[in-house]
Amino acid sequence: MAATTGSTTGVRVHPQGLCESTDVGEGTRVWAFAHVLPGARVGRDCNICDCAFVEDGAVLGDNVTVKNGTLVFSGVTCEDDVFLGPNVLFTNDLRPRAAIKRGPEALLSTVVRRGATLGAGSVVVCGTEIGDHAFVAAGAVVTRSVPAHAFVAGNPAQVKGWVCVCGERLGDDLVCPECGTAHERAGKGLRVRPRPARR
């Protein structure tokens, strides 16, 4: 693989991949049959897998994984360390009609916050926000915003529990059984509990 896309350097594009954006960070990989349109913004060290599509106006932070067949349309922003599983689908128009062409100002934005995971085949309806380190189960349909650290599943997606930064499910004590990280309530979601200051 070799760097392509005009002035962008350090980007690896498969011979059957197409990266037309010149705003792509070093270390990013675009695999076979993936397509990144001009005007898309992609950070460093991203992995855009086979048959994925990143539209103009979409924004990917650093270290974002976009698995096979995932569609990231204009108006979608994924912050750093987001994982998009295979065949994740974002929407950006609540009232699409083939005969009515709406401009970008009519589209609704979606934000996926740092460290969140969207499982295979999940659908995210536009105008929503997926909170920090939230986890959307495979096949879920997100129709409203998801709190930080929430685990959601179903159609429509409902909060079924809570997850740690490391991805493990939390018990009632909100302490991760895998890594020991303690969490606390913060608004509708959770946050990592600050450690007491040393004296």
Side-chain angles (χ1 to χ4, degrees):
M1 291 182 292
T4 62
T5 68
S7 63
T8 301
T9 58
V11 178
R12 292 182 289 165
V13 181
H14 188 280
Q16 276 75 52
L18 182 56
C19 183
E20 298 180 285
S21 173
T22 57
D23 192 358
V24 180
E26 187 173 356
T28 287
R29 298 163 307 283
V30 178
W31 295 98
F33 312 111
H35 190 177
V36 180
L37 287 184
R41 289 172 40 207
V42 180
R44 299 171 61 92
D45 299 314
C46 293
N47 194 28
I48 301 174
C49 297
D50 290 22
C51 301
F53 177 73
V54 183
E55 195 173 37
D56 60 299
V59 178
L60 304 179
D62 295 337
N63 196 41
V64 173
T65 295
V66 181
K67 295 301 284 184
N68 305 52
T70 289
L71 307 177
V72 185
F73 291 119
S74 181
V76 175
T77 297
C78 296
E79 295 184 344
D80 297 349
D81 303 317
V82 164
F83 180 89
L84 304 177
N87 296 306
V88 167
L89 172 62
F90 292 93
T91 72
N92 61 7
D93 189 345
L94 286 179
R95 303 177 317 281
R97 293 290 196 194
I100 301 172
K101 305 303 181 190
R102 295 185 174 94
E105 69 284 348
L107 303 179
L108 294 180
S109 61
T110 297
V111 178
V112 183
R113 297 292 180 195
R114 182 183 183 99
T117 291
L118 276 62
S122 56
V123 176
V124 180
V125 176
C126 55
T128 54
E129 179 177 315
I130 312 296
D132 291 351
H133 304 289
F135 200 114
V136 176
V141 179
V142 176
T143 60
R144 59 181 176 231
S145 293
V146 176
H149 291 273
F151 172 74
V152 300
N155 180 6
Q158 305 284 334
V159 176
K160 304 292 186 181
W162 304 97
V163 292
C164 180
V165 172
C166 74
E168 288 294 322
R169 291 287 294 269
L170 301 175
D172 292 340
D173 62 358
L174 302 180
V175 176
C176 180
E178 182 69 22
C179 69
T181 300
H183 301 75
E184 63 185 13
R185 300 280 177 179
K188 293 183 178 180
L190 299 182
R191 67 181 178 193
V192 173
R193 185 184 302 158
R195 296 179 182 228
R198 292 186 180 180
R199 295 182 178 263

